[in-house]
Amino acid sequence: MRPPVRLGARLGGASRYLTAVVEQGLFSLLNLGVVLALGRLMSPEQFGACVLWFSVAYVLASVQNAVSVAHLQVLPAARGHDPARLETERVMLAATGVFLLLTAVGTALAAGILGRAGAFGVWTAVLFVPAYLLQQYVRLVCFSRGEGGTAALQTGAVLLVAVGLLAVGAAVLRPLTAEHVLGLMGTAYALVGMAGLWRASDGLRRGLSGALSGYMAYARSSGWLFLGVSSTEILARFYVFAVGAAYGPGVLAALSFSQTFLRPAPLLASSWSMAARNDLAARRDAGDWRGYVGLLVVSAAAGVAFAALWAGLVWAAWPTITATLFAGKYAEARWMLPLWGLSAAFGFVQVVVSTGLQILKAFKALALSNAAASAVAALGVLWGMSRMGPGGAILGTAAGQALEAAAMLAVLIVLLRRFRRG
Protein backbone atom coordinates (compact mmCIF):
# COMPACT_ATOMS: atom_id res chain seq x y z
CA MET A 1 0.00 0.00 0.00
CA ARG A 2 2.96 2.34 0.41
CA PRO A 3 3.78 2.89 -3.30
CA PRO A 4 0.35 4.43 -4.07
CA VAL A 5 0.80 6.83 -1.16
CA ARG A 6 4.19 7.88 -2.43
CA LEU A 7 2.83 8.28 -5.95
CA GLY A 8 -0.03 10.40 -4.65
CA ALA A 9 2.38 12.58 -2.71
CA ARG A 10 4.50 13.07 -5.83
CA LEU A 11 1.48 13.93 -7.91
CA GLY A 12 0.35 16.37 -5.23
CA GLY A 13 3.79 18.01 -5.24
CA ALA A 14 3.79 18.22 -9.03
CA SER A 15 0.35 19.78 -8.90
CA ARG A 16 1.59 22.47 -6.51
CA TYR A 17 4.43 23.38 -8.86
CA LEU A 18 2.12 23.39 -11.88
CA THR A 19 -0.37 25.63 -10.09
CA ALA A 20 2.43 28.00 -9.10
CA VAL A 21 3.65 28.12 -12.71
CA VAL A 22 0.13 28.88 -13.95
CA GLU A 23 -0.32 31.61 -11.35
CA GLN A 24 3.07 33.06 -12.19
CA GLY A 25 2.11 32.98 -15.86
CA LEU A 26 -0.93 35.11 -15.08
CA PHE A 27 1.22 37.40 -12.96
CA SER A 28 3.68 37.68 -15.86
CA LEU A 29 0.88 38.63 -18.23
CA LEU A 30 -0.25 41.27 -15.77
CA ASN A 31 3.22 42.74 -15.33
CA LEU A 32 4.98 42.10 -18.62
CA GLY A 33 1.95 42.53 -20.86
CA VAL A 34 0.99 45.82 -19.27
CA VAL A 35 4.57 47.12 -19.37
CA LEU A 36 4.97 46.22 -23.05
CA ALA A 37 1.64 47.81 -23.94
CA LEU A 38 2.61 50.96 -22.06
CA GLY A 39 5.97 51.03 -23.83
CA ARG A 40 4.08 51.31 -27.12
CA LEU A 41 1.26 53.63 -26.04
CA MET A 42 3.12 56.13 -23.85
CA SER A 43 5.91 58.61 -24.42
CA PRO A 44 9.28 57.52 -22.96
CA GLU A 45 9.06 60.24 -20.29
CA GLN A 46 5.62 59.16 -19.04
CA PHE A 47 6.58 55.49 -19.28
CA GLY A 48 9.72 56.20 -17.25
CA ALA A 49 7.61 57.78 -14.51
CA CYS A 50 5.50 54.61 -14.36
CA VAL A 51 8.67 52.49 -14.16
CA LEU A 52 9.89 54.42 -11.13
CA TRP A 53 6.63 53.96 -9.21
CA PHE A 54 6.39 50.31 -10.23
CA SER A 55 9.88 49.87 -8.76
CA VAL A 56 8.87 51.63 -5.54
CA ALA A 57 5.96 49.20 -5.20
CA TYR A 58 8.22 46.19 -5.85
CA VAL A 59 10.71 47.35 -3.22
CA LEU A 60 7.97 47.89 -0.64
CA ALA A 61 6.49 44.48 -1.44
CA SER A 62 9.77 42.91 -0.35
CA VAL A 63 9.77 45.01 2.82
CA GLN A 64 6.20 43.84 3.46
CA ASN A 65 7.38 40.26 3.10
CA ALA A 66 9.90 40.87 5.86
CA VAL A 67 7.32 42.54 8.08
CA SER A 68 4.62 39.90 7.78
CA VAL A 69 4.55 37.34 4.98
CA ALA A 70 7.85 35.62 5.78
CA HIS A 71 6.52 34.63 9.21
CA LEU A 72 3.58 32.88 7.53
CA GLN A 73 5.65 31.07 4.91
CA VAL A 74 7.50 28.97 7.49
CA LEU A 75 4.24 27.67 9.03
CA PRO A 76 2.54 24.40 8.06
CA ALA A 77 0.20 24.75 5.09
CA ALA A 78 -3.36 25.02 6.47
CA ARG A 79 -6.33 27.37 6.63
CA GLY A 80 -5.78 30.70 8.33
CA HIS A 81 -7.95 29.86 11.33
CA ASP A 82 -6.20 26.50 11.83
CA PRO A 83 -4.76 26.38 15.39
CA ALA A 84 -1.24 25.96 13.96
CA ARG A 85 -1.55 29.31 12.17
CA LEU A 86 -4.31 31.32 13.86
CA GLU A 87 -2.26 33.44 16.24
CA THR A 88 0.46 34.26 13.74
CA GLU A 89 -2.05 34.98 10.95
CA ARG A 90 -3.98 37.42 13.13
CA VAL A 91 -0.84 39.26 14.26
CA MET A 92 0.47 39.56 10.69
CA LEU A 93 -2.88 40.78 9.41
CA ALA A 94 -2.83 43.60 11.97
CA ALA A 95 0.80 44.43 11.14
CA THR A 96 -0.05 44.55 7.44
CA GLY A 97 -2.86 47.04 8.08
CA VAL A 98 -0.45 49.41 9.83
CA PHE A 99 2.16 48.90 7.10
CA LEU A 100 -0.31 49.79 4.33
CA LEU A 101 -1.38 52.94 6.17
CA LEU A 102 2.21 54.09 6.62
CA THR A 103 2.93 53.28 2.98
CA ALA A 104 0.06 55.47 1.79
CA VAL A 105 1.28 58.41 3.89
CA GLY A 106 4.89 57.95 2.75
CA THR A 107 3.87 57.71 -0.91
CA ALA A 108 1.89 60.96 -0.64
CA LEU A 109 4.92 62.75 0.83
CA ALA A 110 7.23 61.34 -1.84
CA ALA A 111 4.85 62.27 -4.66
CA GLY A 112 4.70 65.83 -3.37
CA ILE A 113 8.49 66.14 -3.15
CA LEU A 114 9.09 64.57 -6.58
CA GLY A 115 6.37 66.74 -8.11
CA ARG A 116 8.48 69.80 -7.40
CA ALA A 117 11.53 68.20 -9.02
CA GLY A 118 10.04 66.95 -12.30
CA ALA A 119 8.02 64.26 -14.09
CA PHE A 120 8.16 61.64 -11.32
CA GLY A 121 5.56 63.36 -9.12
CA VAL A 122 2.48 61.21 -9.84
CA TRP A 123 -0.31 61.64 -7.28
CA THR A 124 -2.27 58.50 -8.24
CA ALA A 125 0.71 56.54 -6.91
CA VAL A 126 -0.89 57.14 -3.51
CA LEU A 127 -3.61 54.71 -4.60
CA PHE A 128 -1.46 52.38 -6.70
CA VAL A 129 1.33 51.56 -4.23
CA PRO A 130 -0.78 50.46 -1.20
CA ALA A 131 -3.29 48.68 -3.47
CA TYR A 132 -0.49 46.71 -5.12
CA LEU A 133 0.89 45.75 -1.70
CA LEU A 134 -2.56 44.63 -0.54
CA GLN A 135 -2.95 42.32 -3.52
CA GLN A 136 0.55 40.88 -3.02
CA TYR A 137 -0.18 40.18 0.64
CA VAL A 138 -3.36 38.27 -0.21
CA ARG A 139 -1.63 36.36 -3.00
CA LEU A 140 1.32 35.23 -0.87
CA VAL A 141 -0.87 34.37 2.12
CA CYS A 142 -2.79 32.00 -0.16
CA PHE A 143 0.45 30.31 -1.23
CA SER A 144 1.62 30.01 2.39
CA ARG A 145 -1.61 28.14 3.18
CA GLY A 146 -1.10 25.77 0.25
CA GLU A 147 -3.97 27.41 -1.68
CA GLY A 148 -2.21 27.94 -4.98
CA GLY A 149 -5.45 27.68 -6.94
CA THR A 150 -6.99 30.52 -4.97
CA ALA A 151 -3.89 32.65 -5.57
CA ALA A 152 -4.19 31.95 -9.31
CA LEU A 153 -7.84 33.05 -9.29
CA GLN A 154 -6.87 36.21 -7.41
CA THR A 155 -4.14 37.08 -9.90
CA GLY A 156 -6.37 36.21 -12.87
CA ALA A 157 -9.07 38.54 -11.54
CA VAL A 158 -6.60 41.42 -11.25
CA LEU A 159 -5.41 40.73 -14.79
CA LEU A 160 -8.92 40.91 -16.22
CA VAL A 161 -9.92 44.04 -14.30
CA ALA A 162 -6.64 45.86 -15.00
CA VAL A 163 -6.65 45.06 -18.72
CA GLY A 164 -10.28 46.16 -18.99
CA LEU A 165 -9.68 49.47 -17.23
CA LEU A 166 -6.50 50.19 -19.19
CA ALA A 167 -8.24 49.39 -22.50
CA VAL A 168 -10.99 51.88 -21.69
CA GLY A 169 -8.41 54.40 -20.51
CA ALA A 170 -6.32 54.05 -23.69
CA ALA A 171 -9.44 54.69 -25.80
CA VAL A 172 -10.77 57.63 -23.80
CA LEU A 173 -7.74 59.30 -22.21
CA ARG A 174 -5.38 60.62 -24.86
CA PRO A 175 -2.51 61.00 -24.44
CA LEU A 176 -2.20 58.30 -21.79
CA THR A 177 -0.17 59.63 -18.86
CA ALA A 178 1.42 58.14 -15.76
CA GLU A 179 -1.37 59.66 -13.66
CA HIS A 180 -3.95 57.76 -15.70
CA VAL A 181 -2.09 54.44 -15.69
CA LEU A 182 -1.31 54.33 -11.97
CA GLY A 183 -4.86 55.41 -11.13
CA LEU A 184 -6.44 52.69 -13.30
CA MET A 185 -4.09 49.93 -12.14
CA GLY A 186 -4.43 51.04 -8.53
CA THR A 187 -8.20 50.73 -8.84
CA ALA A 188 -7.88 47.18 -10.21
CA TYR A 189 -5.52 46.10 -7.43
CA ALA A 190 -7.70 47.72 -4.76
CA LEU A 191 -10.98 46.13 -5.91
CA VAL A 192 -9.61 42.60 -6.21
CA GLY A 193 -7.31 42.93 -3.19
CA MET A 194 -10.11 44.01 -0.86
CA ALA A 195 -12.32 41.13 -2.01
CA GLY A 196 -9.46 38.67 -1.50
CA LEU A 197 -8.58 40.11 1.90
CA TRP A 198 -12.17 39.70 3.11
CA ARG A 199 -12.02 36.01 2.24
CA ALA A 200 -8.48 35.50 3.60
CA SER A 201 -9.30 37.19 6.92
CA ASP A 202 -12.28 34.92 7.64
CA GLY A 203 -11.97 33.73 11.23
CA LEU A 204 -9.22 36.27 11.95
CA ARG A 205 -11.08 39.56 12.28
CA ARG A 206 -12.34 38.97 15.82
CA GLY A 207 -9.76 40.31 18.29
CA LEU A 208 -7.76 41.94 15.49
CA SER A 209 -7.51 45.32 17.23
CA GLY A 210 -5.50 43.86 20.09
CA ALA A 211 -3.39 41.51 18.00
CA LEU A 212 -0.67 44.03 17.16
CA SER A 213 0.77 43.81 20.68
CA GLY A 214 1.82 40.25 19.89
CA TYR A 215 4.11 41.44 17.11
CA MET A 216 7.02 42.03 19.50
CA ALA A 217 7.63 38.27 19.56
CA TYR A 218 8.47 38.48 15.84
CA ALA A 219 10.27 41.83 15.86
CA ARG A 220 13.81 40.49 16.11
CA SER A 221 13.40 38.09 13.19
CA SER A 222 11.66 40.84 11.24
CA GLY A 223 14.63 43.13 11.84
CA TRP A 224 17.04 40.68 10.24
CA LEU A 225 14.54 39.98 7.47
CA PHE A 226 14.17 43.70 6.86
CA LEU A 227 17.93 44.13 6.53
CA GLY A 228 18.04 41.17 4.15
CA VAL A 229 15.22 42.21 1.86
CA SER A 230 16.17 45.89 1.82
CA SER A 231 19.69 44.88 0.80
CA THR A 232 18.32 42.54 -1.87
CA GLU A 233 16.14 45.31 -3.24
CA ILE A 234 19.14 47.62 -3.42
CA LEU A 235 20.73 44.90 -5.52
CA ALA A 236 17.72 44.52 -7.80
CA ARG A 237 16.39 48.10 -8.05
CA PHE A 238 19.24 50.50 -7.28
CA TYR A 239 19.88 50.97 -10.99
CA VAL A 240 16.33 52.35 -11.42
CA PHE A 241 16.83 55.17 -8.96
CA ALA A 242 20.44 55.86 -9.97
CA VAL A 243 19.69 56.04 -13.69
CA GLY A 244 16.45 57.95 -13.12
CA ALA A 245 18.22 60.56 -11.01
CA ALA A 246 21.20 60.90 -13.36
CA TYR A 247 19.58 60.70 -16.78
CA GLY A 248 15.82 61.24 -16.32
CA PRO A 249 12.73 59.19 -17.18
CA GLY A 250 13.44 58.87 -20.93
CA VAL A 251 16.74 57.00 -20.47
CA LEU A 252 15.29 54.97 -17.61
CA ALA A 253 12.49 53.86 -19.94
CA ALA A 254 14.95 52.40 -22.47
CA LEU A 255 16.94 50.57 -19.81
CA SER A 256 13.86 49.11 -18.13
CA PHE A 257 12.19 48.22 -21.44
CA SER A 258 15.10 45.97 -22.43
CA GLN A 259 15.04 44.28 -19.03
CA THR A 260 11.32 43.61 -19.31
CA PHE A 261 11.88 40.90 -21.90
CA LEU A 262 14.20 39.02 -19.52
CA ARG A 263 11.73 39.06 -16.62
CA PRO A 264 10.34 35.56 -17.28
CA ALA A 265 13.52 34.26 -15.58
CA PRO A 266 13.07 36.10 -12.23
CA LEU A 267 9.32 35.45 -12.36
CA LEU A 268 9.99 31.74 -12.81
CA ALA A 269 12.40 31.92 -9.87
CA SER A 270 9.69 33.52 -7.74
CA SER A 271 7.21 30.85 -8.83
CA TRP A 272 9.65 28.10 -7.90
CA SER A 273 10.30 29.69 -4.51
CA MET A 274 6.61 29.87 -3.61
CA ALA A 275 5.96 26.28 -4.66
CA ALA A 276 9.16 24.74 -3.25
CA ARG A 277 8.87 26.10 0.29
CA ASN A 278 6.48 23.38 1.42
CA ASP A 279 8.70 20.64 -0.04
CA LEU A 280 11.85 22.10 1.50
CA ALA A 281 10.16 22.47 4.89
CA ALA A 282 9.00 18.85 4.74
CA ARG A 283 12.53 17.65 3.93
CA ARG A 284 13.93 19.80 6.73
CA ASP A 285 11.51 18.34 9.28
CA ALA A 286 12.23 14.79 8.07
CA GLY A 287 16.02 15.31 8.18
CA ASP A 288 16.25 14.51 4.46
CA TRP A 289 19.25 16.72 3.79
CA ARG A 290 20.27 14.88 0.63
CA GLY A 291 16.85 15.60 -0.86
CA TYR A 292 17.04 19.18 0.40
CA VAL A 293 20.36 19.82 -1.33
CA GLY A 294 19.30 17.93 -4.46
CA LEU A 295 16.21 20.07 -4.93
CA LEU A 296 18.26 23.27 -4.58
CA VAL A 297 21.02 22.16 -6.96
CA VAL A 298 18.72 20.92 -9.70
CA SER A 299 16.54 24.03 -9.46
CA ALA A 300 19.50 26.43 -9.63
CA ALA A 301 21.03 24.63 -12.62
CA ALA A 302 17.72 24.58 -14.48
CA GLY A 303 17.22 28.29 -13.76
CA VAL A 304 20.64 29.27 -15.12
CA ALA A 305 20.02 27.22 -18.28
CA PHE A 306 16.63 28.84 -18.78
CA ALA A 307 17.99 32.37 -18.29
CA ALA A 308 20.77 31.79 -20.84
CA LEU A 309 18.45 30.23 -23.41
CA TRP A 310 15.77 32.88 -23.02
CA ALA A 311 18.27 35.75 -23.27
CA GLY A 312 19.65 34.25 -26.49
CA LEU A 313 16.20 33.92 -28.03
CA VAL A 314 15.24 37.50 -27.15
CA TRP A 315 18.55 38.83 -28.50
CA ALA A 316 18.03 37.02 -31.81
CA ALA A 317 14.45 38.26 -32.15
CA TRP A 318 15.05 41.83 -30.94
CA PRO A 319 15.16 43.56 -34.36
CA THR A 320 11.88 41.92 -35.35
CA ILE A 321 10.25 42.66 -31.98
CA THR A 322 11.12 46.35 -31.94
CA ALA A 323 10.36 46.93 -35.63
CA THR A 324 7.06 45.03 -35.71
CA LEU A 325 5.54 45.84 -32.33
CA PHE A 326 7.11 49.12 -31.24
CA ALA A 327 7.70 51.03 -34.49
CA GLY A 328 11.47 50.86 -34.03
CA LYS A 329 11.51 52.33 -30.50
CA TYR A 330 14.25 50.96 -28.22
CA ALA A 331 15.98 49.08 -31.08
CA GLU A 332 19.32 50.51 -29.92
CA ALA A 333 19.00 48.72 -26.56
CA ARG A 334 19.80 45.29 -28.04
CA TRP A 335 23.35 45.25 -26.70
CA MET A 336 21.97 45.35 -23.15
CA LEU A 337 20.18 41.99 -23.47
CA PRO A 338 23.19 39.65 -22.85
CA LEU A 339 24.02 41.69 -19.74
CA TRP A 340 20.45 41.39 -18.48
CA GLY A 341 20.65 37.65 -19.21
CA LEU A 342 23.74 37.37 -17.03
CA SER A 343 21.98 39.28 -14.28
CA ALA A 344 18.94 37.02 -14.59
CA ALA A 345 21.08 33.87 -14.25
CA PHE A 346 22.82 35.13 -11.10
CA GLY A 347 19.45 36.30 -9.78
CA PHE A 348 17.90 32.85 -10.18
CA VAL A 349 20.72 31.23 -8.19
CA GLN A 350 20.34 33.97 -5.60
CA VAL A 351 16.62 33.20 -5.15
CA VAL A 352 17.20 29.44 -4.85
CA VAL A 353 19.93 29.73 -2.21
CA SER A 354 18.03 32.44 -0.35
CA THR A 355 14.93 30.24 -0.16
CA GLY A 356 17.02 27.39 1.22
CA LEU A 357 18.37 29.65 3.96
CA GLN A 358 14.95 31.07 4.80
CA ILE A 359 13.50 27.59 5.33
CA LEU A 360 16.37 26.94 7.75
CA LYS A 361 15.38 30.23 9.47
CA ALA A 362 18.93 31.56 9.04
CA PHE A 363 17.67 35.13 8.86
CA LYS A 364 20.69 36.79 10.44
CA ALA A 365 23.24 35.10 8.16
CA LEU A 366 21.07 35.82 5.15
CA ALA A 367 20.74 39.49 6.07
CA LEU A 368 24.49 39.98 6.56
CA SER A 369 25.25 38.32 3.21
CA ASN A 370 22.70 40.51 1.47
CA ALA A 371 24.00 43.69 3.11
CA ALA A 372 27.59 43.06 1.98
CA ALA A 373 26.51 42.26 -1.57
CA SER A 374 24.21 45.28 -1.82
CA ALA A 375 27.10 47.59 -0.99
CA VAL A 376 29.11 46.05 -3.83
CA ALA A 377 26.12 46.37 -6.16
CA ALA A 378 25.58 50.05 -5.36
CA LEU A 379 29.25 50.87 -5.93
CA GLY A 380 29.26 48.70 -9.05
CA VAL A 381 26.25 50.48 -10.50
CA LEU A 382 27.82 53.90 -9.94
CA TRP A 383 31.20 52.77 -11.31
CA GLY A 384 29.58 51.16 -14.35
CA MET A 385 27.58 54.29 -15.10
CA SER A 386 30.72 56.41 -14.92
CA ARG A 387 32.52 54.16 -17.43
CA MET A 388 29.74 52.90 -19.72
CA GLY A 389 26.84 55.28 -19.23
CA PRO A 390 23.37 54.02 -18.24
CA GLY A 391 24.02 50.48 -19.47
CA GLY A 392 26.93 50.11 -17.07
CA ALA A 393 24.38 49.90 -14.27
CA ILE A 394 23.51 46.40 -15.47
CA LEU A 395 27.03 45.10 -14.88
CA GLY A 396 27.06 46.54 -11.38
CA THR A 397 23.76 44.82 -10.63
CA ALA A 398 25.04 41.49 -11.95
CA ALA A 399 28.26 41.76 -9.92
CA GLY A 400 26.30 42.31 -6.72
CA GLN A 401 23.99 39.38 -7.46
CA ALA A 402 26.97 37.09 -8.08
CA LEU A 403 28.61 38.10 -4.81
CA GLU A 404 25.38 37.65 -2.86
CA ALA A 405 24.77 34.20 -4.33
CA ALA A 406 28.35 33.14 -3.46
CA ALA A 407 28.14 34.49 0.10
CA MET A 408 24.77 32.85 0.77
CA LEU A 409 25.97 29.57 -0.73
CA ALA A 410 28.94 29.52 1.63
CA VAL A 411 26.62 30.09 4.61
CA LEU A 412 24.23 27.40 3.40
CA ILE A 413 27.02 24.82 3.07
CA VAL A 414 28.20 25.50 6.63
CA LEU A 415 24.68 25.21 8.04
CA LEU A 416 23.87 22.00 6.16
CA ARG A 417 27.07 20.36 7.41
CA ARG A 418 26.08 21.35 10.94
CA PHE A 419 22.57 19.90 10.56
CA ARG A 420 23.90 16.66 9.07
CA ARG A 421 26.15 16.13 12.06
CA GLY A 422 23.08 16.46 14.28
Side-chain angles (χ1 to χ4, degrees):
M1 295 298 293
R2 295 181 67 183
V5 174
R6 291 179 179 175
L7 178 60
R10 289 177 181 175
L11 290 175
S15 176
R16 283 198 304 274
Y17 283 95
L18 179 60
T19 301
V21 168
V22 170
E23 192 276 341
Q24 198 67 59
L26 295 171
F27 191 62
S28 299
L29 285 174
L30 175 61
N31 286 274
L32 305 186
V34 166
V35 167
L36 295 179
L38 297 180
R40 180 180 177 85
L41 295 172
M42 304 178 73
S43 69
E45 289 73 21
Q46 290 296 313
F47 178 57
C50 286
V51 167
L52 182 127
W53 285 108
F54 290 163
S55 298
V56 169
Y58 299 154
V59 169
L60 290 174
S62 292
V63 175
Q64 178 176 255
N65 289 348
V67 170
S68 57
V69 177
H71 299 291
L72 303 177
Q73 290 175 327
V74 298
L75 298 176
R79 293 183 179 274
H81 51 72
D82 185 279
R85 296 178 62 97
L86 177 61
E87 180 183 352
T88 304
E89 286 253 9
R90 184 174 285 145
V91 170
M92 297 309 153
L93 180 59
T96 298
V98 174
F99 182 78
L100 294 178
L101 178 60
L102 293 175
T103 296
V105 174
T107 303
L109 293 174
I113 293 171
L114 291 174
R116 297 177 181 177
F120 291 122
V122 183
W123 282 104
T124 51
V126 180
L127 169 63
F128 170 77
V129 173
Y132 175 84
L133 296 176
L134 172 62
Q135 160 63 11
Q136 291 308 299
Y137 177 78
V138 174
R139 171 176 173 254
L140 294 178
V141 165
C142 289
F143 271 110
S144 77
R145 296 175 179 178
E147 300 172 349
T150 303
L153 290 174
Q154 186 83 10
T155 301
V158 176
L159 174 63
L160 291 175
V161 176
V163 169
L165 290 177
L166 287 172
V168 173
V172 176
L173 306 170
R174 297 184 180 181
L176 198 61
T177 67
E179 287 281 3
H180 299 145
V181 169
L182 294 182
L184 293 169
M185 293 191 67
T187 300
Y189 281 121
L191 291 174
V192 179
M194 289 299 295
L197 182 66
W198 183 259
R199 176 199 171 276
S201 62
D202 183 40
L204 303 174
R205 293 186 289 270
R206 179 177 297 177
L208 187 62
S209 59
L212 196 60
S213 61
Y215 190 78
M216 291 305 298
Y218 304 91
R220 183 173 183 179
S221 294
S222 288
W224 289 115
L225 283 165
F226 176 78
L227 176 60
V229 299
S230 60
S231 302
T232 297
E233 287 301 329
I234 289 175
L235 266 172
R237 313 286 177 192
F238 182 74
Y239 81 91
V240 171
F241 306 104
V243 171
Y247 300 100
V251 175
L252 175 60
L255 196 69
S256 297
F257 185 82
S258 62
Q259 189 211 22
T260 296
F261 285 85
L262 276 299
R263 282 188 188 170
L267 288 172
L268 182 61
S270 176
S271 174
W272 172 87
S273 180
M274 289 186 293
R277 288 174 185 273
N278 290 338
D279 287 341
L280 289 170
R283 285 174 167 80
R284 175 201 65 196
D285 295 341
D288 179 15
W289 300 114
R290 175 176 291 184
Y292 196 95
V293 172
L295 179 56
L296 295 178
V297 170
V298 170
S299 300
V304 169
F306 175 81
L309 177 62
W310 185 257
L313 290 174
V314 173
W315 183 88
W318 192 252
T320 302
I321 292 171
T322 53
T324 304
L325 300 179
F326 301 98
K329 282 197 297 185
Y330 309 113
E332 72 283 356
R334 188 187 189 195
W335 71 273
M336 299 179 186
L337 296 172
L339 299 180
W340 281 127
L342 181 66
S343 174
F346 285 136
F348 204 110
V349 175
Q350 174 191 356
V351 169
V352 170
V353 180
S354 175
T355 302
L357 285 172
Q358 288 177 36
I359 298 302
L360 297 179
K361 301 181 181 180
F363 300 132
K364 180 178 179 179
L366 183 60
L368 294 175
S369 300
N370 288 351
S374 67
V376 172
L379 293 175
V381 166
L382 296 175
W383 180 87
M385 288 171 56
S386 69
R387 296 300 180 93
M388 300 173 60
I394 309 173
L395 281 177
T397 301
Q401 289 171 315
L403 176 63
E404 181 177 32
M408 290 191 302
L409 182 60
V411 173
L412 181 62
I413 291 172
V414 171
L415 289 177
L416 287 173
R417 285 178 178 173
R418 189 177 302 166
F419 281 117
R420 281 174 170 173
R421 292 171 184 167

